[in-house]
């Protein structure tokens, strides 16, 4: 069975100043996978996502989403940035942040209305945060803030989700809640790409994995390639993980 | 003239009315736009822009020889914009931090502006005097046409703000995300920045290059203390700015020798200090009060929880116990005990205490409540 390719990256090279952060990346992400991007700090994991999303300009290479450039396909794509990338003391409420997920389909100037509000409330409910809709965002815990970000992406009703470390700094309950939502997304046929740090949970959470350390080390099904060999190649030390059979 | 006289004159006296209206409108527009500068953590931008405007004023005078405010402010606008986009350029093209870029442009442009001002003053031309009023501002020179200009620009600014409200908000909160949604973030950014430059240039005549940034920051910083909603914050900042303008003008007009700009800025400063102290949710005063109250509650809870642990082991929860088995480690003092009695959680009988039904229930739910928060 040949799977459709959701995201295709060709010869992508990104550099800050003279130092390459991503070097000649070729990557195909099949439709419907729940994929982890793993690699050490500074491996370019966030950079890869940001380049695919057009936030960063690569010095070479191209990205296509279902065969077309990102600009034409952005409504198919949703993004969950790192939680630390925004100022949580910003004067706004949880519901308001989730509503921002509808701005893309609204386009310029048009205001969100009842329909958008309803979608945002549904997303809040999905992540278990409906009770906090009116809460000022600085008064949410780290895990709750992460859920708000997830809800904002869910509202976009996309086909492909990119998430930058959604499990960072969240407690076990939130982690389980988030992974359940991700698995639901996959069940619905969506493609989910997650920058992930906890190697122990990779086999449990994901079915696809990409090893990245400036260059792409390997990409494929977790059961085929998530082994000590590639981990050592990626992290540069002799790595041993026990994978449960 | 005293304050009372001022307020009776403000509606009849042409000059006074013009100045008051001018400073009020100015305060409103800078407060409004200042909210965006503060939330973007670009507080120093206003300072850099106003200083960058100075050479423009001097050059406009040198080229045209005219001293009417519109020509000079056009010069200020152009050099303010150049300064601003240089700052942006330095930040994106080099690895200098924003504060370095701001400081650099601020002092370079200001230095150049001062140089030009002294050059102009040395010229044998009777027309040269008065340019230095742009350093500290001189509200008394405001005429009706200036106020009209301010009002028109404020109106345009308000319309743009309402039109692009959603875009401004999302850009301020999460610029990268805004980009992924397909918005041209550069355009939104330039729109905000241009209006900030415009507002600052408008204020140069009244408040001056040196103090202008306070008009941008003070009302916004004060407003942030009172609300957790962006729209309320922008509205409050405009209100605080307008009031600073009016009160500042009133005070300076009633005390003959005080120059208006600094007084307006000081009034805005009073708003800030008042807000920092007295805001119910973020203010220092209520924070301290809440802190003390929480600590007292905690002491009370500790005693109650200790009593609960003892009472739990008996079938009758109101079984009396000796007071001396409580000790200081549990936060127990005569005061806390009295408070517990007052709340009807505990009954005292000589040297013995016993939990009431209600006290037992409250104690049992103490930890549940906390973990639900």
């Amino acid at each position: 069975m040949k799977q459709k390719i959701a995201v295709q990256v060709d010869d992508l090279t990104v550099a800050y100043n003279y130092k390459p952060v991503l070097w000649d990346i070729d990557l195909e992400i099949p439709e419907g996978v729940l994929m982890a991007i793993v690699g050490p700090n500074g491996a370019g994991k966030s950079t890869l996502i940001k380049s695919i999303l057009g936030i960063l300009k690569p010095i070479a290479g191209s990205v296509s989403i279902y065969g077309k450039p990102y600009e034409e396909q952005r409504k198919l794509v949703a993004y969950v940035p790192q939680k630390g990338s925004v100022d949580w003391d910003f004067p706004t409420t949880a519901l308001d942040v989730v509503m921002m997920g509808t701005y893309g389909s609204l386009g310029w100037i048009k205001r969100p209305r009842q329909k958008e509000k309803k979608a945002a409330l549904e997303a809040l409910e999905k992540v278990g945060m409906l009770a906090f809709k009116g809460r000022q965002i600085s008064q949410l815990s780290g895990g709750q803030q992460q859920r708000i970000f997830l809800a904002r992406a869910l509202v976009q009703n996309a086909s492909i989700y990119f998430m930058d470390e959604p499990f960072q700094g969240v407690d076990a309950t939130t982690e389980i809640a988030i992974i359940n939502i991700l698995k639901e997304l996959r069940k619905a046929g969506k493609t989910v790409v997650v920058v992930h740090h906890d190697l122990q949970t990779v086999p449990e959470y994901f079915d696809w994995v990409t090893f990245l350390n400036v260059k792409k080390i390997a990409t494929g099904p977790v059961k085929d390639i998530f082994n000590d060999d590639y981990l050592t190649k990626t992290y540069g030390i002799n790595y041993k993980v026990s994978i449960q059979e | 003239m005293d304050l009372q006289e001022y307020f009776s004159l403000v509606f009849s006296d042409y000059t006074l009315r013009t100045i008051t209206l001018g400073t009020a409108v100015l305060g409103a527009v800078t407060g409004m736009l200042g909210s965006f500068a503060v939330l973007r953590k670009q507080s120093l931008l206003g300072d850099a822009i106003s200083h960058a405007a100075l050479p423009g004023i001097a050059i406009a005078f040198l080229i045209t020889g005219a001293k009417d405010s519109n020509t000079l402010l056009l010069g200020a606008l152009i050099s303010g914009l150049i300064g601003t986009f240089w700052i942006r350029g330095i930040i994106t093209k080099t690895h200098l931090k924003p504060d370095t870029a701001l400081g650099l442009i601020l002092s370079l442009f200001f230095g150049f502006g001062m140089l030009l001002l002294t050059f102009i003053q040395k010229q044998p031309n009777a027309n040269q005097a008065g340019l230095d009023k742009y350093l500290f501002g001189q509200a008394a020179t405001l005429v009706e046409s200036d106020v009209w200009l301010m009002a028109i620009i404020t109106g345009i600014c308000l319309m743009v703000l309402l039109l692009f409200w959603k875009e401004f908000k999302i850009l301020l909160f999460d610029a990268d995300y805004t980009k992924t949604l397909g918005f041209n973030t550069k355009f939104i950014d330039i729109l905000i920045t241009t209006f900030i430059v415009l507002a600052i240039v408008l204020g140069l005549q009244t408040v001056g290059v040196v103090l202008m940034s306070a008009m941008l920051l003070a009302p916004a910083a004060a407003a942030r203390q009172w609300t957790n909603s962006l729209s309320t914050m922008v509205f409050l900042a405009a209100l605080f700015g307008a009031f600073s303008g009016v009160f500042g003008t009133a005070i300076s007009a009633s005390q003959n020798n005080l120059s208006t700009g600094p007084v307006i800025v000081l009034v805005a400063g009073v708003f800030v200090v008042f807000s920092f102290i007295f805001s119910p949710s973020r203010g220092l005063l209520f924070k301290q009060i809440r802190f003390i109250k929480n600590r007292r509650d905690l002491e009370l809870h500790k005693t109650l929880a200790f009593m609960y642990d003892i009472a739990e082991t008996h079938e009758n929860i109101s079984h009396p116990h000796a007071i001396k088995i409580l000790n200081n480690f549990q936060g127990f003092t005569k005061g806390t005990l009295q408070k517990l009695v007052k709340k009807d959680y505990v009954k005292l009988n000589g040297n013995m205490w016993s939990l009431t039904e209600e006290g037992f229930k409250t104690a049992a739910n103490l930890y549940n409540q906390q973990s639900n928060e």
Side-chain angles (χ1 to χ4, degrees), chain B residues 89-102:
Chain B
I90 291 175
I91 294 170
T92 49
K93 297 266 178 336
T94 76
H95 270 237
L96 290 175
K97 295 273 174 285
D99 57 343
T100 316
L102 287 167

Side-chain angles (χ1 to χ4, degrees), chain A residues 87 89 96 107 109 111 156, chain B residues 162 166-167 169 177 224:
Chain A
D87 173 15
D89 196 34
D96 215 29
I109 295 171
R111 300 266 175 133
Q156 288 180 253
Chain B
L162 288 174
K166 147 174 141 271
E167 286 77 7
K169 181 163 72 178
Y177 182 73
R224 180 67 188 92

Side-chain angles (χ1 to χ4, degrees), chain B residues 335-355:
Chain B
T336 50
L337 218 50
Q338 284 306 324
K339 262 184 218 152
L340 287 170
V341 171
K342 231 187 233 166
K343 287 193 170 182
D344 226 6
Y345 292 164
V346 171
K347 277 206 176 78
L348 285 183
N349 191 0
N351 282 336
M352 307 294 271
W353 60 267
S354 58
L355 272 181

Side-chain angles (χ1 to χ4, degrees), chain A:
Chain A
M1 187 187 82
K2 178 87 176 124
Q3 268 175 304
K4 252 210 269 180
I5 299 302
V7 182
Q8 171 127 19
V9 177
D10 291 311
D11 307 326
L12 186 76
T13 298
V14 180
Y16 295 135
N17 287 338
Y18 302 106
K19 194 170 162 260
V21 184
L22 289 175
W23 187 255
D24 203 20
I25 305 283
D26 291 306
L27 181 65
E28 283 181 351
I29 306 175
E31 184 179 49
V33 297
L34 179 46
M35 183 178 99
I37 301 177
V38 296
N41 291 331
K45 303 183 294 290
S46 298
T47 307
L48 177 60
I49 286 190
K50 285 185 180 171
S51 313
I52 292 174
L53 291 165
I55 298 169
L56 290 175
K57 260 214 173 84
I59 54 175
S62 66
V63 172
S64 66
I65 309 285
Y66 285 115
K68 285 183 193 158
Y70 177 75
E71 287 74 31
E72 294 171 33
Q73 303 281 52
R74 62 171 104 247
K75 286 196 176 150
L76 299 179
V77 179
Y79 174 45
V80 178
Q82 273 185 32
K83 188 164 63 68
S85 64
V86 303
D87 173 15
W88 287 94
D89 196 34
F90 192 81
T92 190
T93 60
L95 176 63
D96 215 29
V97 172
V98 178
M99 293 264 266
M100 289 177 185
T102 67
Y103 287 8
S105 58
L106 280 169
W108 288 92
I109 295 171
K110 256 171 79 182
R111 300 266 175 133
R113 300 195 181 279
Q114 281 309 314
K115 189 181 127 209
E116 283 76 22
K117 193 174 169 189
K118 211 179 129 227
L121 288 172
E122 277 168 18
L124 272 171
E125 182 154 34
K126 236 180 250 170
V127 300
M129 288 289 294
L130 194 57
F132 296 91
K133 63 178 176 175
R135 189 72 74 91
Q136 150 71 17
I137 52 172
S138 67
Q139 284 156 14
L140 299 170
S141 71
Q144 290 170 334
Q145 291 172 344
Q146 193 65 62
R147 289 181 196 214
I148 294 297
F149 260 15
L150 185 60
R152 184 175 70 170
L154 290 178
V155 160
Q156 288 180 253
N157 202 11
S159 307
I160 309 171
Y161 290 81
F162 290 95
M163 307 190 181
D164 204 342
E165 300 194 24
F167 301 113
Q168 199 192 37
V170 306
D171 60 16
T173 326
T174 306
E175 179 152 341
I176 292 165
I178 293 176
I179 194 64
N180 283 339
I181 290 168
L182 300 195
K183 284 180 174 168
E184 248 172 61
L185 285 173
R186 182 186 50 191
K187 234 183 247 164
K190 318 273 189 185
T191 311
V192 184
V193 179
V194 178
V195 171
H196 195 57
H197 261 302
D198 182 8
L199 295 171
Q200 304 298 333
T201 53
V202 169
E204 188 188 332
Y205 291 171
F206 300 96
D207 57 7
W208 211 263
V209 65
T210 294
F211 290 102
L212 190 73
N213 191 353
V214 183
K215 292 176 186 174
K216 184 191 78 181
I217 312 291
T219 183
V222 170
K223 61 176 173 7
D224 296 345
I225 68 162
F226 193 71
N227 54 38
D228 294 349
D229 210 21
Y230 282 123
L231 282 167
T232 307
K233 268 188 196 159
T234 309
Y235 286 86
I237 50 165
N238 206 0
Y239 214 98
K240 289 262 182 282
V241 286
S242 49
I243 299 170
Q244 289 160 354
E245 288 301 317

Side-chain angles (χ1 to χ4, degrees), chain B residues 5 65 93 104 150 184 198 354:
Chain B
E5 208 178 326
K93 297 266 178 336
L104 202 66
M150 284 182 191
N184 185 342
L198 260 175
S354 58

